[in-house]
Amino acid sequence: DIRDRNFIHDIFPGSAWENISNAWRNIPQTFYAGFDPTADSLHVGHLLVLNGLIHCQRAGHQTIALVGGATGLIGDPSGRSAERSKLDATSIKSNSQEISEQIRKIFKNHSQYIYGNEHQRLQLRDVKIVNNVEWYQTMPLIEFVSNVGRHLRMGSMLSRSSVHARLRSETGMNFSEFAYQMFQAYDWLHLFKVYDCRFQIGGSDQMGNIMSGHELISKVKKKNVFGLTLPLVINEEGDKFGKSAGKAVWLDERKTSILSFYQFFIRVPDNEVETFLKLFTFLPINEVRTIMKEQRVSPQLRLAQKTLAKYCTTLVHGESGFKQAEAVTNALYEGSLEFLGNLDAATIQDTLSGCTICQMPLDSGTTILDLVMKAKCFMTENDAVRIISAGGLYINQKRMQNV
């Protein structure tokens, strides 16, 4: 099913497909993916990696989400054209806690709202969330460099595409960024020792770091381990998936409202939505094909986009978040206003984040003209009268022409 979805972009070693397939089908394995807390929230671009871990969980394997409370202080240079802004330890600690809670919530939402019946849910192995500050804060620097650095060759480290690209750029690369791959390599070695973790999952820009981890474990433990990278998803403009009008679409509703999150997926173009259904939902491939067949017959219904938005919003914000976003979307775009009347002011402000919102007492005798001028909808009364009379004002989806 994973391969049918085109979920795997590349593997390392490149000749290990048979070994990986055998391990996947046999005894439970341990898979991990890392998330550096360089912000106080993950964004939509991280969903693909989280879905990769969930696919492993659904197949009966143990999953680990590693939060980089230590490596976040350095900043991963992979896929970056310039150095990251340095964050202080207090911010990294706070971000780590926020991200850990997000990951925990996403796995819980999947189990509770998306995956099977109660008996099946009980078979899922709970995700382990670890923070690499736990092992770095007590490790002497000399010990780390001596025990780890001696096993990694400079030629290999310099040849990584992320390093090569930065060294040729105008800004270059500082030593801490260059050493980042050594720390990520040790993270995998540590997880191998403690949890017998033989698989690492990452975005396509993580192959260099994965290769360093493979090199370290092969030399220290003399064992076979494997790396899996996921496809880089870009939009029609060539931007990384997860951006809307150049801004990140965050998983934290305080940074991106649930409605905006839902609408991000509703707006996925028709020529991309089948790929996204395969990558960002857990629907069986046959069901995806059925949805796309219906989509081609009646594209105006946007069944594929609505299905995609439902799954992603439920996964991140729970069933109640999805229902709220769907209801508000119906109210705003399809003229179904009953739901809006039941929302309190705070929920309206949260739901319509980014819109101009005015609060004012509606006195007896208030006219439409009084209302729009108090709300500063028009620069002058003459503009208001002219535009309203021409049918340019709608209140609750109804055209108003009487000022």
Side-chain angles (χ1 to χ4, degrees):
D1 183 57
I2 290 289
R3 297 187 72 174
D4 290 339
R5 294 174 182 274
N6 296 320
F7 203 86
I8 304 300
H9 172 71
D10 204 356
I11 63 171
F12 190 82
S15 59
W17 262 124
E18 185 175 352
N19 291 335
I20 292 173
S21 297
N22 290 337
W24 179 269
R25 290 192 297 265
N26 293 320
I27 62 172
Q29 303 291 331
T30 302
F31 292 74
Y32 104 91
F35 306 87
D36 273 352
T38 50
D40 58 359
S41 172
L42 300 176
H43 56 73
V44 165
H46 292 110
L47 265 187
L48 191 60
V49 178
L50 288 167
N51 279 6
L53 288 179
I54 292 174
H55 274 296
C56 297
Q57 183 192 47
R58 291 165 71 100
H61 302 298
Q62 178 63 60
T63 54
I64 299 174
L66 184 150
V67 178
T71 45
L73 291 167
I74 301 172
D76 185 0
S78 302
R80 303 282 300 187
S81 59
E83 182 180 339
R84 293 180 184 271
S85 300
K86 180 176 172 56
L87 296 178
D88 60 77
T90 301
S91 297
I92 289 290
K93 182 178 180 180
S94 175
N95 291 351
S96 297
Q97 293 171 344
E98 295 283 350
I99 288 174
S100 296
E101 186 54 38
Q102 277 186 344
I103 295 170
R104 193 173 288 109
K105 178 182 177 182
I106 286 170
F107 273 83
K108 180 180 178 181
N109 285 342
H110 165 261
S111 172
Q112 187 170 352
Y113 302 118
I114 297 175
Y115 185 72
N117 55 41
E118 184 175 356
H119 174 72
Q120 290 174 312
R121 289 195 292 269
L122 291 174
Q123 308 307 309
L124 293 176
R125 297 169 183 265
D126 291 339
V127 60
K128 295 182 185 294
I129 301 176
V130 299
N131 191 324
N132 61 13
V133 76
E134 297 169 7
W135 49 89
Y136 286 121
Q137 64 185 353
T138 58
M139 182 180 295
L141 174 61
I142 298 300
E143 178 184 329
F144 177 78
V145 174
S146 174
N147 292 341
V148 178
R150 70 174 60 251
H151 295 291
L152 299 176
R153 315 321 297 170
M154 284 295 297
S156 298
M157 295 175 72
L158 286 167
S159 70
R160 308 301 186 215
S161 58
S162 59
V163 174
H164 191 63
R166 284 290 298 279
L167 289 177
R168 296 182 61 184
S169 69
E170 293 182 4
T171 58
M173 172 181 259
N174 65 45
F175 173 76
S176 62
E177 290 180 300
F178 176 70
Y180 183 93
Q181 59 182 298
M182 185 164 66
F183 287 92
Q184 186 166 324
Y186 182 78
D187 285 343
W188 194 359
L189 175 61
H190 176 84
L191 296 179
F192 179 86
K193 291 177 178 178
V194 177
Y195 301 106
D196 192 30
C197 179
R198 295 171 183 264
F199 290 84
Q200 182 180 171
I201 297 175
S204 58
D205 60 353
Q206 291 297 306
M207 181 56 84
N209 294 330
I210 288 172
M211 292 168 70
S212 293
H214 179 276
E215 181 181 359
L216 180 62
I217 296 172
S218 297
K219 290 180 177 179
V220 173
K221 305 302 290 186
K222 313 295 183 187
K223 297 290 185 179
N224 292 325
V225 294
F226 309 96
L228 307 172
T229 63
L230 310 182
L232 176 64
V233 184
I234 57 175
N235 60 24
E236 292 179 315
E237 288 74 39
D239 296 325
K240 283 186 178 181
F241 181 73
K243 298 290 183 75
S244 178
K247 298 180 180 179
V249 178
W250 301 99
L251 306 191
D252 187 334
E253 63 186 274
R254 295 168 295 183
K255 297 168 74 75
T256 296
S257 73
I258 300 177
L259 177 62
S260 296
F261 182 90
Y262 177 83
Q263 283 293 318
F264 175 78
F265 290 98
I266 288 289
R267 297 189 183 106
V268 169
D270 287 347
N271 63 337
E272 298 176 359
V273 70
E274 182 174 4
T275 295
F276 288 178
L277 281 171
K278 291 178 179 179
L279 295 178
F280 292 96
T281 77
F282 305 97
L283 291 170
I285 292 298
N286 288 339
E287 192 168 339
V288 171
R289 291 172 181 148
T290 299
I291 290 171
M292 292 310 303
K293 184 177 180 180
E294 294 181 32
Q295 174 93 348
R296 284 185 279 272
V297 172
S298 305
Q300 74 279 4
L301 298 179
R302 299 183 72 77
L303 173 63
Q305 284 87 349
K306 290 178 179 178
T307 302
L308 175 67
K310 174 183 177 179
Y311 267 80
C312 292
T313 306
T314 301
L315 183 65
V316 175
H317 296 295
E319 192 171 60
S320 61
F322 157 67
K323 288 182 177 179
Q324 175 182 315
E326 181 186 47
V328 174
T329 295
N330 291 339
L332 294 177
Y333 298 102
E334 299 179 17
S336 174
L337 300 175
E338 295 84 356
F339 180 79
L340 284 181
N342 296 323
L343 295 180
D344 57 39
T347 304
I348 291 176
Q349 285 186 316
D350 176 64
T351 301
L352 303 181
S353 175
C355 300
T356 299
I357 298 176
C358 301
Q359 298 185 47
M360 65 188 75
L362 191 60
D363 300 323
S364 176
T366 298
T367 65
I368 296 296
L369 183 61
D370 294 334
L371 181 67
V372 297
M373 294 309 298
K374 288 180 180 179
K376 300 180 180 180
C377 296
F378 301 96
M379 296 291 291
T380 67
E381 285 194 7
N382 287 337
D383 289 339
V385 171
R386 175 173 53 82
I387 293 173
I388 294 172
S389 299
L393 175 70
Y394 288 78
I395 297 179
N396 289 344
Q397 305 284 26
K398 295 182 179 180
R399 178 179 287 173
M400 300 292 167
Q401 291 181 279
N402 186 354
V403 297

